[in-house]
């Protein structure tokens, strides 16, 4: 479809697409087990909701941007589930729904998103019964007692158990707008147990029971990862294990510590999960102080910083110990840990989280006051480029009106069908200096996606607005606006669309007699401009026609005079590419498929991507991109079910790019569909 644009813009200022705001997670665990943080069972529905809102208000006030809300502590549910019974921690009796009815998970998601807080559903995957409370007839320990070890935990060796846990997770992901799924440190039980019978039945090729146990947990983590990516690829998957992987003098094996090792004692190989890309973040629980014998906080933080494997690494902090345990009597301990973990030396540590919420609410050892200081500067949540690295489209038609001393901003966000492309939040920046830079000093507000903001605080002279998508990628800003007059450029550029897909440029320069020459410049990314044509100054208003413009382009006028260079405003122009194409298969050698298309009369044959081979299991699928720009991809299984999809950005021809989400594909045949504008190509490949 053709679109007509009348681009009559104010002074356009381009700033780098990367925000200068810091990015880190400032998280907290909100525990429902045994009512540690919330709820109180003797309260009414209205009182429980009010107390939860009060907690969220406090967490927001200290700068928390991520909450891990415990929704399943022992095969029960803090939400409406057809799989597990209602939690006794909510109503006092397992299996009994709240009355009047409400859904705490649905409620907290909405409240968190109002405050721009991410909500991750925290699940204990294996813990089934851990107290003496009577269980519901719907509880798994009653329905399937054969699935439990004698320790009261689900048996990780059983395929039925893995499928059951996977069903719980997929049910949550399908029905709730969660930002993430979060597992804690409960895998194989710490106490002794006998699983000889299951080892004999399910050991396969394993001779080591320890390796077999770790593989059982691996199978679950991989299955959950694939299920989440298939259903909602923007939903994050993270795990918070105990703080020590392995004790070892060799840093390649483990940390120089003496403590419980989750690799060998809980049979959870977290390094493998990071390395394989099955999880998006790891959050080891470093619940020790700086001088803790055998498990010093700073040594473990350094070790985890060096073992992130290009995934996000957050550090869990044991604030519940503050003021109670030896070594925790100094109120500066937690702030000191935060500053150390987020220091420039810990480049791979992307955040910290507090256990527990009650420590903040009760201002334990002045923790609430300390967090307000440590978390005082505005931050964004880190991006996850392996999930999505393409920023949303910029807001447009930005305007500002000063009314009764208040600045009212209005704009439009781009309407997108793909959830990954939608604007999820808006950032407002303001300054009394022009141009407006995107930094913490100019940060005004982070709000859920909207088209209006009322700035009743400082009333800045100039504003810009950007967009964030679900995975925190930030757009460029298009224009600066002001309730006053913007600084005027000496050269003003205007662009009009012509009927033959060309455009007419008109620029005005009242002082054209002082100009020596003009250059019309063009860019595809609003960053790297090249000259299109040179002009000599002949009048205050000049025109130039440029035919057959397609795609997204940015134009500006460069004016040269004795004083140097002067640039006009920059104008964005977009004309959809019209390509009539047909995908045709080209015979190739065995185990190699080439995709191409039939060229039109005015084109040379080319393809979006080429050379898809048969790949061994566990390898990330890589294709050679034969074009530039943004390309959509979709991967389908043998039954034509969509497995993974997204966008990739090719900056140059013959670029090799890994297709996200393909490292975990099972054995079999697959189809890759790639789209660029209205060109579509497909090819098959095999994972062996």
């Amino acid at each position: 479809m053709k679109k007509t644009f009348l681009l009559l813009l104010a002074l356009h200022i381009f700033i780098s697409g990367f925000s200068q705001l810091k990015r880190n997670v400032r998280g907290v665990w909100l525990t429902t087990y045994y009512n540690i943080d919330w709820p109180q069972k003797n309260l009414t529905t209205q009182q429980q909701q009010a107390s939860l809102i009060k907690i969220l208000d406090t967490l927001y006030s200290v700068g928390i941007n991520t909450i891990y809300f415990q929704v399943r502590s022992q095969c029960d549910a803090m939400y409406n589930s057809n799989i597990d019974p209602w939690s006794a921690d909510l109503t006092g009796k397992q299996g009994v729904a709240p009355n009047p009815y409400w859904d705490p998970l649905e409620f907290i998601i909405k409240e968190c998103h109002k405050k721009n807080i991410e909500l991750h559903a925290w699940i204990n995957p294996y813990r089934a019964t851990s107290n003496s409370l009577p269980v519901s007839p719907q509880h798994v320990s009653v329905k399937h007692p054969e699935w439990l070890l004698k320790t009261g935990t689900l048996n990780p060796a059983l395929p039925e158990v893995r499928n059951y846990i996977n069903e719980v997770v997929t049910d949550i992901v399908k029905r709730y707008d969660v930002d993430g799924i979060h597992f804690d440190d409960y895998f194989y039980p710490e106490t002794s147990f006998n699983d000889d019978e299951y080892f004999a039945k399910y050991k396969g090729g394993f001779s080591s029971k320890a390796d077999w146990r770790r593989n059982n947990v691996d199978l679950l983590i991989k299955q959950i990862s694939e299920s989440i990516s298939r259903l909602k690829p923007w939903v994050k998957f993270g795990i918070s294990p105990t703080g020590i992987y392995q004790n070892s003098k060799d840093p390649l094996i483990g940390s120089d510590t003496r403590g419980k090792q989750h690799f060998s004692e809980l049979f959870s190989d977290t390094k493998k999960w990071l390395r394989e890309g099955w999880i998006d973040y790891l959050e080891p629980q470093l619940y020790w102080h700086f001088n803790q014998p055998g498990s010093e906080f700073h040594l473990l933080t350094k070790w985890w910083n060096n073992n992130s494997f290009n995934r996000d690494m957050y550090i869990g902090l044991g604030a519940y110990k503050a003021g109670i345990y030896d070594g925790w009597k100094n109120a500066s301990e937690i702030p000191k840990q935060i500053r150390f973990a987020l220091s420039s030396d810990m480049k791979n540590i992307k955040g910290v989280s507090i256990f527990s919420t009650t420590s903040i609410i009760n201002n334990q050892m002045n923790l609430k006051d300390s967090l307000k200081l440590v978390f005082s500067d505005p931050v964004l949540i880190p991006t996850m480029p392996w999930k999505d690295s393409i920023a949303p489209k910029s807001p447009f038609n930005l305007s500002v009106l000063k009314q009764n001393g208040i600045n009212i901003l209005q704009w439009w966000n781009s309407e997108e069908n793909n959830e990954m492309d939608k604007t999820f939040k808006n950032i407002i920046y303001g300054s009394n200096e022009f141009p407006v830079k995107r930094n913490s000093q100019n940060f005004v507000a982070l709000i859920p996606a909207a088209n209006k903001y009322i700035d009743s605080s400082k009333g800045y002279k100039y504003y810009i607005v950007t967009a964030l998508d679900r995975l925190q990628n930030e757009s460029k800003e298009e224009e600066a606006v002001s309730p006053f007059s913007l600084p005027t450029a000496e050269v003003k550029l205007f662009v009009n669309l012509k009927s033959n897909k060309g455009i007419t440029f008109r620029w005005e320069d009242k002082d054209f007699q002082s100009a020596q020459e003009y250059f019309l410049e063009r860019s595809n990314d609003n960053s790297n401009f090249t000259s299109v044509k040179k002009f000599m100054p002949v009048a205050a208003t000049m025109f130039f026609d440029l035919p057959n413009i397609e795609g997204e382009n940015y134009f500006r006028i460069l004016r040269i005079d004795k004083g140097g260079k002067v640039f006009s405003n920059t104008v964005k122009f977009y004309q959809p590419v019209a390509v009539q194409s047909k995908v045709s298969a080209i015979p190739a050698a065995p185990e190699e498929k080439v995709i191409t298309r039939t060229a039109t009369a005015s084109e040379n044959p080319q393809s979006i991507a080429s050379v898809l081979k048969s790949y061994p299991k566990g390898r990330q699928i890589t294709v050679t991109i034969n074009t530039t720009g943004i390309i959509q991809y979709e991967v389908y299984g043998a039954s034509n079910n969509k497995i993974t999809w997204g966008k990739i950005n090719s900056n140059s021809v013959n670029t090799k790019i890994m297709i996200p989400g393909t490292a975990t594909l099972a054995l079999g045949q697959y189809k890759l569909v790639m789209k660029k504008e209205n060109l579509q190509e497909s090819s098959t490949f095999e994972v062996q």
Side-chain angles (χ1 to χ4, degrees), residues 12 36 48 76 78 100 130 135 184 265 291 334 369 414 433 437 444 466 679:
H12 175 99
I36 290 176
Q48 286 182 337
D76 53 4
M78 196 64 66
S130 60
V135 296
D184 58 15
E265 297 178 51
N291 300 313
I334 290 296
D369 300 328
S414 177
E433 296 182 0
K437 296 181 179 179
V444 175
T466 62
L679 171 63

Side-chain angles (χ1 to χ4, degrees), residues 429-653:
Y429 300 90
S431 176
N432 290 323
E433 296 182 0
F434 190 87
V436 181
K437 296 181 179 179
R438 293 196 280 182
N439 54 34
S440 58
Q441 289 75 28
N442 293 337
F443 176 86
V444 175
L446 173 65
I447 62 173
N451 56 21
K452 185 176 182 179
Y453 179 75
I454 299 175
D455 184 12
S456 56
S457 56
K458 294 184 178 180
Y460 292 103
K461 287 185 178 180
Y462 312 111
Y463 294 91
I464 56 176
V465 177
T466 62
L468 287 178
D469 62 18
R470 293 292 305 237
L471 285 163
Q472 307 298 314
N473 297 295
E474 186 179 7
S475 73
K476 299 174 183 177
E477 75 282 355
E478 288 301 313
E479 311 171 38
V481 295
S482 173
F484 310 100
S485 298
L486 284 170
T488 56
E490 294 183 62
V491 183
K492 293 183 179 180
L493 175 63
F494 305 89
V495 177
N496 288 320
L497 179 70
K498 297 181 67 177
S499 60
N500 62 352
K501 290 175 59 177
I503 50 179
T504 295
F505 297 92
R506 172 171 61 90
W507 63 95
E508 298 176 355
D509 181 7
K510 295 180 180 179
D511 192 25
F512 77 96
Q513 294 176 333
S514 299
Q516 297 176 342
E517 53 193 3
Y518 301 106
F519 291 89
L520 175 63
E521 296 188 334
R522 176 181 180 179
S523 170
N524 291 322
D525 59 5
N526 205 3
S527 179
N528 301 307
F529 283 84
T530 58
S531 177
V532 175
K533 189 174 177 62
K534 175 182 175 181
F535 303 89
M536 300 305 295
V538 294
T541 302
M542 297 183 64
F543 297 86
F544 177 68
D545 289 346
L546 197 60
N548 299 323
I549 297 297
E550 293 184 336
E552 184 173 288
N553 294 274
Y554 298 82
F555 295 96
R556 69 185 183 190
I557 295 294
L558 166 61
R559 176 187 190 270
I560 305 291
D561 59 26
K562 292 181 179 180
K565 298 179 180 180
V566 173
F567 291 103
S568 73
N569 53 300
T570 301
V571 174
K572 177 183 176 180
F573 180 85
Y574 176 76
Q575 173 70 16
V577 180
V579 180
Q580 299 296 326
S581 64
K582 177 181 176 183
V583 177
S584 61
I586 296 181
E591 295 191 346
E592 182 173 294
K593 307 287 191 298
V594 178
I595 55 176
T596 186
R597 65 179 172 84
T598 303
T600 60
S602 61
E603 298 174 315
N604 293 321
Q606 73 176 68
S607 63
I608 295 176
S610 62
V611 192
L612 284 175
K613 300 180 180 180
S614 296
Y615 283 88
K617 186 178 180 182
R619 177 176 174 181
Q620 192 90 8
I621 305 304
T622 304
V623 296
T624 302
I625 304 297
N626 297 335
T627 185
T628 59
I630 296 176
I631 301 164
Q632 293 178 311
Y633 68 86
E634 298 170 348
V635 177
Y636 293 86
S639 58
N640 206 33
N641 58 309
K642 189 186 294 186
I643 296 173
T644 184
W645 66 93
K647 291 183 179 182
I648 52 180
N649 193 358
S650 173
N651 295 319
S652 60
V653 177

